[in-house]
Amino acid sequence: MDESTRKVPKVFISYSWTDEEHISNVLEFATYLMNNHVEVILDEWDAPEGIDLNHFMEENVRSEDIDFVLIISDKEYARKADERTGGVGTETQIISKRVYEDVNQTKFIPIVWQNDNNGKPYLPDYLSSRKYFDLTPKNRYSNSKKVLRRLHNLPENPKPKLGDFPEELLETNKYYPTLKEYIETFDEKVEKNPKSINFISRNFFKNFLKNLDDFKIKFETRNTLEIANGLYKNIEEYTPLRDYYIEFIEKITQVHEFAPIDYDIIKELFENIYSKYTTPNIGQSYMREEFMNFDFILRELFLYTITISVENNDYELTSYLLNSPYFLNDKYNLDKNHQTFLNLDRRGYIPTDGYLTKYCQEHNLNKLTGMGHLLISRIHKDYEVDDFVNSDILCCHISIINLHDQDGWFPFTYIYKETDYMSLYQKLISESHCEKVKCIFDIEYKHELEEKIKYSEEYFGKIRYGFSNVFMNYVKPISEYVNVDEIASKK
C-alpha cells in the first residue's frame, strides 16, 4: 500500500501551557508527526484568536473524527488534571469519564514528558495504570518513532499469525520430556562434575527402555501384508525416540576425553533390548513376527552407536561394543558361551527382512532388502548414508577378522554404499591413526593388523559375502580400502 492510499490517522494533542520551552517542544513533536503522514489538531495551529478554547478542546476530545488523543503529561499537566483546573482540567473531566467507563479504550494515549526526582512519571491519577510512551528528554528521539508506529498501526514487533494446531501434541508417544531434560541439562551437569556422566546415562537408558516398552506389538492377524504394514508403521512411530537416543550418544562421545563413561552401561542397554524384546518368556504364547520391530530397532540403535563413536573418535567405545562379551538372557538358548555382538544379529531367528521386503514389494518399491532399504531411507538428518553403511561394513569385517565367525554380521546396507571411501581404513597409512584405532582390531602391533587385513582379503575373496542375487556387488575386504604395505608408513 503506497502513501496515497494509506489511511491518514488524525490526532488531537492535549497538553499544558507550562512555559514557552515546553510549548516549543510540543510544537516540534507535532511537526514531526505531520511530516510523517499524521494529521495533527493542535490549538497553536487550529484555534485562531476569538475561538472558545474550552469548546475547541471539548469538541476535539469528543469528536468521532479524531482517531487518537495524545495526552502529553509533564508535572504541570498532572497537577492541573488532578486538581481539575484550567483548560487541562476541563479536558480531564471529559477524558477521565471515557477512560473510567471503558477500561479497554485505546483512543487516549498517555505520553510521559517528564519524571520526578525519583524517576517516577508525572501522570494524572486517572491514567496511572495505563500503558504509556516515555518521551522524557533522554528517550524522546528514540521513542518518537514508536509513537509513530502506534498511530499507523505498524508495530515494531507485530503479533504473528495464528499457526495450525500442533497435531503431534495428540500423539503422546512421540515426545519424551524426561529424556529431553537429560539431554538439555547434560552439558552443564557433566562440565560441573564429569563423574556424573555414569549416573546420568544409567537414568537416561532406564527411561529410554520404559518408553521403548510402549512399542510392543501384538498382531491379531496372520495376513502377511497386514503384518508388514503394521511393522512399518510401528517403526516409523518410534523414530522420535530413536532421535533422542542418537542425540544422547552424541553427547556421551563428544566428552569422552574428559568424562569417560563406563561402557558397560551402553552395552547393557543392548543386552536388555535383546533379552526383553527379542526373545519370548518361557511358556509365553508368541509369534516370531511380534519381535520384528525390536529386531530392527536393536540393529538400528547399535549401528548408530558405532557410527557416532567412530565419528567422534571414541574408538574405545567402538572396540568395546565390537570385542567384549555380551550376557544375553535368551530363555530358549541353553548355550550361554561365547556371546558377542554377533548375537544381536537376529536374522534366521526373526523374519524381519522378509516382511519389510514384502512391504516394499506391495508398495511398488523394487528393493532387494527391506531391512537395508528402511535403515537407509530413514537415515538421521545429521548423517550421510555412507557414515551408516561404513559402520555396517565395519561390524561385518570385525566379526570375521576378530571373532572368526564364518557367518559374520550381515551388513544389509552394503549395497547402498555411495563411494569407495572409508576413512577409518584409508587413514591406516598414518602411524598415529593406527595407534588410535588399533583397539578396534584387537591388536597391539602393526604385523597383527597386516595379518588380519590379509585374512579379510582371503575370506571375502572366497566367500563372495553378500546378496547372492546381486551380480558383482559383494562386501569388499579391508584391503580394497588400504594397501597393506602402506600401513603405518606415514606419521
Side-chain angles (χ1 to χ4, degrees), residues 214-251:
D214 294 335
F215 293 93
K216 286 182 177 178
I217 194 167
K218 190 76 175 175
F219 292 114
E220 301 297 333
T221 178
R222 293 282 180 173
N223 182 277
T224 301
L225 182 57
E226 289 180 10
I227 292 175
N229 286 334
L231 170 62
Y232 187 89
K233 180 182 177 183
N234 181 280
I235 291 171
E236 286 299 296
E237 288 175 348
Y238 120 91
T239 304
L241 185 58
R242 177 204 71 171
D243 291 347
Y244 277 119
Y245 175 85
I246 290 173
E247 193 172 352
F248 191 75
I249 293 296
E250 286 173 340
K251 287 192 172 294

Side-chain angles (χ1 to χ4, degrees), residues 242-243 246-247 250 254 304 307-308 311 378-385 387:
R242 177 204 71 171
D243 291 347
I246 290 173
E247 193 172 352
E250 286 173 340
Q254 285 163 0
Y304 270 110
T307 302
I308 296 166
E311 180 162 301
R378 49 187 274 108
I379 200 80
H380 187 277
K381 62 181 177 60
D382 291 340
Y383 296 90
E384 301 294 333
V385 167
D387 296 333

Side-chain angles (χ1 to χ4, degrees), residues 432-450:
S432 61
H433 179 71
C434 279
E435 186 63 26
K436 292 176 185 175
V437 304
K438 68 181 183 180
C439 56
I440 297 177
F441 300 99
D442 194 24
I443 62 163
E444 274 297 324
Y445 304 105
K446 172 185 171 181
H447 71 88
E448 295 177 272
L449 179 56
E450 292 172 346

Side-chain angles (χ1 to χ4, degrees), residues 343-360:
N343 293 83
L344 305 181
D345 183 348
R346 304 288 279 148
R347 74 186 195 280
Y349 298 95
I350 303 175
T352 313
D353 183 52
Y355 275 90
L356 289 176
T357 304
K358 178 67 173 178
Y359 176 90
C360 291

Side-chain angles (χ1 to χ4, degrees), residues 158-375:
K159 186 176 181 178
K161 291 181 179 179
L162 186 66
D164 296 331
F165 177 80
E167 296 293 337
E168 66 269 14
L169 296 182
L170 301 177
E171 302 174 21
T172 56
N173 284 338
K174 284 199 169 184
Y175 293 88
Y176 308 93
T178 303
L179 299 183
K180 185 177 181 181
E181 183 180 357
Y182 279 118
I183 291 170
E184 290 179 343
T185 60
F186 181 91
D187 293 338
E188 180 183 354
K189 289 181 178 178
V190 172
E191 184 176 349
K192 187 179 296 183
N193 179 14
K195 292 183 179 179
S196 68
I197 191 171
N198 290 327
F199 176 80
I200 295 168
S201 299
R202 282 193 181 93
N203 281 287
F204 179 89
F205 292 137
K206 180 180 179 181
N207 280 276
F208 180 85
L209 277 171
K210 284 182 179 178
N211 288 303
L212 203 57
D213 207 52
D214 294 335
F215 293 93
K216 286 182 177 178
I217 194 167
K218 190 76 175 175
F219 292 114
E220 301 297 333
T221 178
R222 293 282 180 173
N223 182 277
T224 301
L225 182 57
E226 289 180 10
I227 292 175
N229 286 334
L231 170 62
Y232 187 89
K233 180 182 177 183
N234 181 280
I235 291 171
E236 286 299 296
E237 288 175 348
Y238 120 91
T239 304
L241 185 58
R242 177 204 71 171
D243 291 347
Y244 277 119
Y245 175 85
I246 290 173
E247 193 172 352
F248 191 75
I249 293 296
E250 286 173 340
K251 287 192 172 294
I252 287 174
T253 55
Q254 285 163 0
V255 301
H256 71 94
E257 291 183 346
F258 78 91
I261 187 177
D262 178 355
Y263 294 138
D264 267 339
I265 296 172
I266 302 175
K267 185 164 68 75
E268 284 169 4
L269 173 70
F270 297 120
E271 292 170 342
N272 285 328
I273 295 174
Y274 175 99
S275 302
K276 187 174 182 180
Y277 299 117
T278 71
T279 64
N281 294 318
I282 293 177
Q284 174 187 349
S285 174
Y286 69 95
M287 295 169 56
R288 289 185 306 159
E289 288 80 359
E290 291 169 351
F291 302 133
M292 292 189 301
N293 60 326
F294 290 112
D295 174 39
F296 180 92
I297 289 170
L298 179 59
R299 178 180 291 267
E300 185 177 48
L301 294 180
F302 186 80
L303 287 174
Y304 270 110
T305 309
I306 298 298
T307 302
I308 296 166
S309 63
V310 169
E311 180 162 301
N312 289 328
N313 301 329
D314 192 352
Y315 302 122
E316 293 290 340
L317 172 57
T318 312
S319 172
Y320 196 84
L321 293 177
L322 296 179
N323 296 308
S324 297
Y326 282 69
F327 303 95
L328 305 170
N329 185 13
D330 186 342
K331 287 83 176 175
Y332 286 88
N333 182 10
L334 300 180
D335 181 11
K336 302 298 181 183
N337 297 321
H338 199 62
Q339 292 172 298
T340 68
F341 82 94
L342 268 173
N343 293 83
L344 305 181
D345 183 348
R346 304 288 279 148
R347 74 186 195 280
Y349 298 95
I350 303 175
T352 313
D353 183 52
Y355 275 90
L356 289 176
T357 304
K358 178 67 173 178
Y359 176 90
C360 291
Q361 293 169 349
E362 291 296 330
H363 291 82
N364 298 317
L365 299 171
N366 185 23
K367 302 299 176 183
L368 177 67
T369 164
M371 176 80 83
H373 167 70
L374 189 54
L375 285 167

